[in-house]
Amino acid sequence: SQQGEEDPQALSIQEGENATMNCSYKTSINNLQWYRQNSGRGLVHLILIRSNEREKHSGRLRVTLDTSKKSSSLLITASRAADTASYFCATDAILTGGGNKLTFGTGTQLKVEL
Amino acid sequence: DVKVTQSSRYLVKRTGEKVFLECVQDMDHENMFWYRQDPGLGLRLIYFSYDVKMKEKGDIPEGYSVSREKKERFSLILESASTNQTSMYLCASSPRFRGEQYFGPGTRLTVT
């Protein structure tokens, strides 16, 4: 099964509203990352939060991490139609040679309507 | 600007054909990855490489092989394509000790 599981699977909101997506995982992590994927395209890295961090901000994005509950949330504030995409969390394992091997969840499909 | 390119956006092949998917990155990254993405299953790691001529199996390597002769290029090979390999294939790269990965636009492969 996937290391990361996102919730909800799909989310539809109005422009200007906030969108919250959650991710749960099973094993200890080094860091947790969030990615966005526009329809039929590659993934774009949004934000990385390390296991010793509890909250991180980047523009309209806010990520929290609770390692005791093995969960993370991504909040997008003041959403725009351009935020319509799939969002994935990814947990990592350190590779022998350096770098990180990511395990992705199945994603949350966000639709922001005008 | 960071760039990962993949040789084709769309590809249609017949069952039994040998298929090559090429990925090139211009960021001098040590690590490169191949994933496949299927509805309801998310992204699954096929193979990765953390150095030239080095390769490691991911979670679903069966039916695939890879080649990394140069640092910037990582090829995925389907030795004998089958219909269950119809999927979106995504290549990614990352610096050696940094977590975030940079993805190419993907190749949607259909095997008939």
Side-chain angles (χ1 to χ4, degrees), chain A residues 87-104:
Chain A
Y87 292 82
F88 295 87
C89 69
T91 55
D92 77 327
I94 301 291
L95 298 173
T96 305
N100 295 46
K101 172 189 171 183
L102 297 180
T103 302
F104 287 83

Side-chain angles (χ1 to χ4, degrees), chain A residues 2 33 35 37 41 97-99, chain B residues 9 37 41 48 96 99 101 104:
Chain A
Q2 296 291 319
Q33 303 178 38
Y35 288 79
Q37 184 181 34
R41 308 296 296 182
Chain B
R9 289 283 287 126
Q37 183 178 23
L41 297 177
F48 60 95
R96 187 179 297 283
Q101 293 185 10

Side-chain angles (χ1 to χ4, degrees), chain A:
Chain A
S1 62
Q2 296 291 319
Q3 164 74 319
E5 296 288 343
E6 287 91 343
D7 171 58
Q9 289 188 345
L11 180 61
S12 183
I13 60 174
Q14 297 294 312
E15 197 172 46
E17 295 180 338
N18 295 341
T20 300
M21 289 158 268
N22 303 296
C23 170
S24 60
Y25 58 91
K26 296 183 175 65
T27 63
S28 297
I29 61 171
N30 182 50
N31 64 57
L32 186 143
Q33 303 178 38
W34 286 90
Y35 288 79
R36 183 187 75 227
Q37 184 181 34
N38 291 89
S39 180
R41 308 296 296 182
L43 278 71
V44 174
H45 179 260
L46 293 176
I47 196 164
L48 180 155
I49 186 165
R50 302 196 184 283
S51 59
N52 61 355
E53 296 177 308
R54 291 296 166 258
E55 187 171 311
K56 200 161 184 181
H57 296 253
S58 177
R60 293 185 295 113
L61 305 180
R62 173 178 166 252
V63 169
T64 61
L65 180 64
D66 186 336
T67 53
S68 66
K69 295 181 179 178
K70 292 186 168 58
S71 67
S72 174
S73 67
L74 170 67
L75 168 67
I76 304 174
T77 59
S79 63
R80 305 166 182 167
D83 295 328
T84 295
S86 293
Y87 292 82
F88 295 87
C89 69
T91 55
D92 77 327
I94 301 291
L95 298 173
T96 305
N100 295 46
K101 172 189 171 183
L102 297 180
T103 302
F104 287 83
T106 53
T108 292
Q109 287 187 308
L110 173 66
K111 183 175 182 181
V112 181
E113 300 187 72
L114 296 170

Side-chain angles (χ1 to χ4, degrees), chain B:
Chain B
D1 198 15
V2 165
K3 199 162 185 181
V4 179
T5 57
Q6 295 183 229
S7 50
S8 304
R9 289 283 287 126
Y10 300 94
L11 206 53
V12 180
K13 295 291 182 180
R14 294 186 183 272
T15 301
E17 279 192 81
K18 191 169 186 176
V19 181
F20 293 87
L21 302 182
E22 303 285 338
C23 175
V24 177
Q25 51 96 2
D26 65 359
M27 297 162 284
D28 201 36
H29 287 169
E30 288 77 14
N31 303 314
M32 295 189 76
F33 308 83
W34 274 107
Y35 297 88
R36 64 177 283 176
Q37 183 178 23
D38 301 286
L41 297 177
L43 275 79
R44 294 179 290 167
L45 182 64
I46 305 171
Y47 267 97
F48 60 95
S49 167
Y50 54 82
D51 205 346
V52 176
K53 297 192 186 295
M54 303 297 289
K55 60 184 179 184
E56 295 282 344
K57 292 181 180 179
D59 301 317
I60 51 163
E62 296 78 19
Y64 304 94
S65 62
V66 290
S67 172
R68 192 162 181 205
E69 296 297 318
K70 293 185 178 181
K71 189 176 185 180
E72 68 271 19
R73 188 180 298 270
F74 192 35
S75 302
L76 179 69
I77 303 154
L78 286 66
E79 296 290 342
S80 178
S82 63
T83 55
N84 63 13
Q85 292 179 310
T86 291
S87 187
M88 169 73 103
Y89 289 88
L90 292 162
C91 174
S93 70
S94 73
R96 187 179 297 283
F97 296 111
R98 293 266 303 275
E100 63 270 26
Q101 293 185 10
Y102 297 86
F103 282 80
T107 295
R108 189 167 293 281
L109 172 68
T110 302
V111 182
T112 61

